[in-house]
Amino acid sequence: MSNQNYHCKQLELYAAARFSWRKFIAFISQFNAFKGFYNVPYANARLAEIDAAQAIPDEQVRGEAAETLHITLNQKAETALNRWQDLKRYIADAFTEELQITKLQAAGSELYEPARQHDWESLQGLMNDGLTFIANHFADLTAGNNMPPAFQTTFNTAKTNFELTYNQFLDAETDEPVSTQAKVDANNNVFDKLMKMLLDGQQIFRTNDAVKNHFTFTHTLGIISAPGDCTLKGRCVKGIAQTPEEGVRVTIPELGQTVFTDAEGKYNISGFASGNYSAILEKNTLQTQTFTDLSFDPGTSITRNATMIPNA
């Protein structure tokens, strides 16, 4: 299993990479003159790779399937154990006291305690032994209206439901390391291609420190991860009537963060670092608006309201 090549948080990597590739586009002519494959489609492909890497579930999300199955597995196990206890009571009435210990052992009683302690292999064995016992002693168990004949099916259903869930749980546990590696590999790909471009940018602008800084990962990371919990908020209304407009897409492209206005036309993007940003407001039926030069000091909040104009 490979290790991550980047020494920052995942979200910082994505934000820094998006910021850098958009700066790359702003200086595309210089990059293209340096290396011919540097062009806008190349940058767009890198931005798409960032989106794809971010879309791969994080460890907590990846573990959600296994955790959900674990909860379900416990429920199915409890049902199976209860059905075996039902069988135990039927054995108590079907056989004499002298025979009960032998019969219970044949039905898997020695596996009951470990099964109750979540030893799932023992529970499988318990249910297999129980079902076999019912088949071998069906006449004795059902005599005198003791065990309902349908209990054999009920027991088998509990056994089958447990085993199906257990197998799904094992599959989820097995798949998780593969998913984890896919996430690391995708992030490393984003970082490695970014660093190659940044190093080329440093060479291209070696005599222009102001521009060169834009192509230094630590400088960009400092902008993205600077201290301070900043917020951009506002309200979108439409036309002369100033009616609230729901569903306007509000994006801070430098961060790759997007929200949509609610029924009151309000939006809120928070939890990002101080720095200079822009915001794009768009909806299919309305003219796009852009806020530029949004400058956030650490911990500050900026409000930008907008009157959206319908398309002609």
Side-chain angles (χ1 to χ4, degrees):
M1 179 181 253
S2 57
N3 297 320
Q4 66 182 47
N5 297 337
Y6 51 95
H7 302 288
C8 61
K9 297 177 181 177
Q10 284 186 147
L11 291 180
E12 291 175 338
L13 170 63
Y14 303 143
R18 288 190 179 99
F19 180 90
S20 297
W21 283 110
R22 289 189 173 96
K23 285 296 182 183
F24 165 89
I25 292 173
F27 293 94
I28 191 67
S29 59
Q30 292 93 325
F31 275 92
N32 184 257
F34 186 66
K35 290 182 178 179
F37 65 79
Y38 279 142
N39 51 36
V40 173
Y42 182 84
N44 289 337
R46 304 292 76 75
L47 289 167
E49 287 175 348
I50 298 167
D51 292 340
Q54 189 167 8
I56 297 173
D58 292 321
E59 184 175 355
Q60 182 176 359
V61 179
R62 288 194 302 270
E64 181 183 357
E67 182 60 28
T68 300
L69 282 168
H70 188 260
I71 293 171
T72 305
L73 182 62
N74 278 292
Q75 295 170 343
K76 301 299 183 184
E78 184 67 22
T79 299
L81 288 168
N82 284 335
R83 296 297 75 79
W84 191 90
Q85 284 291 338
D86 291 342
L87 174 60
K88 180 180 178 180
R89 299 310 309 147
Y90 296 138
I91 291 173
D93 282 346
F95 301 96
T96 64
E97 187 173 345
E98 293 79 7
L99 292 175
Q100 284 182 22
I101 293 178
T102 301
K103 298 301 182 182
L104 286 171
Q105 288 175 343
S109 61
E110 292 180 351
L111 295 171
Y112 181 82
E113 278 304 315
R116 198 170 64 86
Q117 299 299 322
H118 296 174
D119 181 337
W120 302 133
E121 286 77 12
S122 292
L123 181 51
Q124 279 187 308
L126 178 73
M127 298 304 286
N128 283 329
D129 289 349
L131 191 62
T132 300
F133 185 88
I134 293 172
N136 291 339
H137 300 85
F138 188 79
D140 292 327
L141 290 168
T142 56
N145 291 324
N146 178 28
M147 184 187 80
F151 179 75
Q152 185 176 29
T153 300
T154 301
F155 191 94
N156 186 53
T157 298
K159 171 182 175 291
T160 301
N161 287 342
F162 164 75
E163 289 176 340
L164 286 173
T165 306
Y166 182 43
N167 289 332
Q168 291 170 351
F169 174 73
L170 290 177
D171 288 342
E173 289 283 280
T174 302
D175 289 344
E176 186 171 340
V178 177
S179 299
T180 301
Q181 186 61 57
K183 183 77 168 178
V184 172
D185 289 344
N187 288 346
N188 283 343
N189 177 61
V190 167
F191 178 75
D192 293 344
K193 290 180 179 178
L194 172 66
M195 290 306 299
K196 289 180 180 179
M197 181 273 288
L198 292 178
L199 290 172
D200 285 343
Q202 292 171 36
Q203 177 63 24
I204 294 168
F205 301 106
R206 60 189 179 279
T207 61
N208 187 336
D209 288 341
V211 178
K212 180 181 177 181
N213 278 338
H214 288 305
F215 299 100
T216 303
F217 185 73
T218 53
H219 175 79
T220 301
L221 193 61
I223 294 173
I224 298 302
S225 60
D229 189 0
C230 298
T231 299
L232 173 66
K233 60 183 179 179
R235 186 168 182 261
C236 295
V237 296
K238 182 172 68 176
I240 298 174
Q242 300 282 287
T243 55
E245 185 65 18
E246 183 178 4
V248 176
R249 179 187 178 95
V250 184
T251 302
I252 299 180
E254 293 83 357
L255 299 175
Q257 291 191 28
T258 296
V259 299
F260 291 87
T261 55
D262 61 18
E264 297 180 355
K266 295 180 180 180
Y267 69 90
N268 184 303
I269 300 177
S270 61
F272 56 89
S274 58
N276 297 319
Y277 302 97
S278 59
I280 302 172
L281 287 69
E282 53 190 345
K283 188 175 181 180
N284 289 339
T285 58
L286 305 171
Q287 295 181 20
T288 298
Q289 291 197 35
T290 303
F291 298 135
T292 58
D293 301 324
L294 297 170
S295 182
F296 292 85
D297 292 325
T300 58
S301 174
I302 293 178
T303 300
R304 286 289 185 271
N305 300 320
T307 298
M308 309 298 291
I309 301 172
N311 291 325

